[in-house]
Amino acid sequence: MKLQANTLNQLMPGFFLASTVTFFAFFISSSFNFPIMLVALLIGIIFNFIGKKTLFKVGVDFSAKQVLRFGVALLGFRLSIQHISDLGYFPVGFTIVLVFFTFFAGIGISYLFKNKLAIGCLIGGSVAVCGASAALAVSTVIPKEKVREKDILFVILGVTILSTVAMVIYPLISKIFEMPDVVSGFLMGSTIHDVAQVVGAGYSISNEAGIMATFVKMIRVATLPLIVILTSYMFNKSEKGKLKLPWFLIVFIIAAFVTNIFPFSATTSHFLQQFSTFFLVVAISALGMKTNITELAKVKLSYIIIIIVTTIGMLGFSLVGISIIF
């Protein structure tokens, strides 16, 4: 993307504002152990009155769309084939089936409530893969006239809150069923939405459970390009059967390929992952600044029901799978 000097001057105030919100969000998140995406979203909404001013509007829009795509592209550096070999092919296969079951369940339940396909893909993808990050990624291939920004933000808000609740409740479920640590880790990794909450839930049980939870979660993250491609196809299949992959998805795949063929040092890998997180948080901060809290409150009740039902359905499917695998 080529940016002329005058365009850059228009972008910088809004991008700087979104970045400032991001730094505050990181500080609050690390200080009080709150989910970073949720904090950034809420702070962004608070600063809505500033974000919509002419000086910041262009840069905020850029951050919410283009910066988001950079963040999604860099998620590819988080993937490792080692996760598959460490976990085993049968559990990996089940995890992938679980992801697509949840994705299509979200679409099916959405239709039952007479909602649009876009909402089903958005909720199904976010619950199935990796919460807020997946919701952002899926939203980039849905035509803007098919989904409103407040719908995207509500889904992000809903899955983040449920993910935080799950981080507390699911370890208790594993104790009630007296699951071994490895099995508990599999449950955490296969059902909790956001990566941070998966890690938190897993390591709250034991190191062994934490490692397993992280492995399983990365398998789900690895399906993100497939979910995005599938969503893109659903909305573009009328174009003579041709499917054009968005540039950020191509970069995502290349990044995953490069990081597995030419492994980076732990420091470099960590830096790239943090860079990706930073871009995603900047994007969600900007989305928050584009959203009026009164508009967010008008989202349909059915969206809440779909998020909750798909989350519970994923938990139930995973428990059945655990009884078979372990």
Side-chain angles (χ1 to χ4, degrees):
M1 178 186 300
K2 295 181 179 180
L3 296 175
Q4 297 179 348
N6 58 341
T7 304
L8 192 60
N9 290 334
Q10 290 179 310
L11 294 178
M12 287 311 296
F15 176 74
F16 180 76
L17 177 63
S19 299
T20 302
V21 170
T22 296
F23 283 117
F24 274 111
F26 271 109
F27 174 76
I28 294 173
S29 174
S30 60
S31 299
F32 299 97
N33 199 28
F34 290 152
I36 181 65
M37 293 291 189
L38 180 59
V39 175
L41 174 59
L42 294 178
I43 296 178
I45 291 174
I46 291 173
F47 282 93
N48 167 260
F49 71 98
I50 297 178
K52 64 184 180 182
K53 292 184 180 297
T54 304
L55 175 63
F56 301 106
K57 189 177 185 305
V58 175
V60 168
D61 288 343
F62 174 81
S63 298
K65 296 177 182 177
Q66 298 304 328
V67 173
L68 165 61
R69 289 165 169 78
F70 282 113
V72 173
L74 294 179
L75 281 174
F77 288 111
R78 299 188 181 194
L79 305 184
S80 173
I81 294 177
Q82 186 67 33
H83 298 140
I84 297 176
S85 60
D86 286 340
L87 187 59
Y89 291 101
F90 187 59
V92 167
F94 172 78
T95 303
I96 294 173
V97 170
L98 176 62
V99 166
F100 283 94
F101 164 79
T102 306
F103 176 66
F104 286 111
I107 294 174
I109 299 170
S110 180
Y111 272 125
L112 289 178
F113 283 100
K114 298 182 179 180
N115 287 313
K116 297 179 180 178
L117 172 63
I119 296 300
C121 290
L122 200 61
I123 294 176
S126 60
V127 173
V129 184
C130 52
S133 298
L136 291 169
V138 170
S139 70
T140 58
V141 294
I142 298 176
K144 61 182 180 180
E145 67 272 11
K146 299 291 185 180
V147 63
R148 300 169 298 179
E149 287 181 340
K150 68 177 182 180
D151 294 331
I152 298 171
L153 284 176
F154 185 83
V155 171
I156 291 171
L157 184 65
V159 296
T160 302
I161 291 174
L162 274 185
S163 189
T164 304
V165 171
M167 181 179 66
V168 176
I169 294 178
Y170 287 10
L172 296 178
I173 293 176
S174 71
K175 289 182 179 180
I176 292 173
F177 286 96
E178 299 181 343
M179 296 178 180
D181 288 354
V182 171
V183 179
S184 296
F186 186 88
L187 178 66
M188 304 303 116
S190 63
T191 55
I192 298 177
H193 311 325
D194 289 303
V195 175
Q197 280 83 338
V198 167
V199 174
Y203 280 97
S204 71
I205 297 172
S206 70
N207 286 339
E208 189 177 16
I211 292 170
M212 173 60 79
T214 304
F215 280 164
V216 176
K217 184 60 182 178
M218 288 302 99
I219 299 303
R220 288 170 62 192
V221 174
T223 66
L224 181 59
L226 299 178
I227 294 295
V228 174
I229 289 172
L230 186 56
T231 302
S232 180
Y233 174 75
M234 289 178 181
F235 288 97
N236 297 283
K237 59 185 178 182
S238 60
E239 297 181 9
K240 298 180 181 180
K242 294 181 179 179
L243 176 63
K244 295 181 180 179
L245 295 183
W247 68 265
F248 67 89
L249 188 56
I250 295 174
V251 175
F252 179 103
I253 295 171
I254 292 174
F257 178 81
V258 170
T259 198
N260 282 282
I261 301 301
F262 309 103
F264 297 108
S265 66
T267 301
T268 303
S269 179
H270 178 72
F271 173 78
L272 290 170
Q273 291 179 24
Q274 290 299 104
F275 212 42
S276 171
T277 300
F278 174 77
F279 279 151
L280 290 175
V281 178
V282 167
I284 204 169
S285 299
L287 281 169
M289 284 187 283
K290 288 165 61 68
T291 303
N292 188 306
I293 189 64
T294 56
E295 289 298 315
L296 192 61
K298 296 177 183 178
V299 175
K300 295 180 180 178
L301 176 63
S302 61
Y303 294 5
I304 301 175
I305 297 174
I306 298 169
I307 294 173
I308 293 175
V309 171
T310 50
T311 298
I312 295 175
M314 193 172 202
L315 174 62
F317 197 104
S318 181
L319 288 172
V320 172
I322 285 172
S323 67
I324 297 172
I325 297 172
F326 297 98

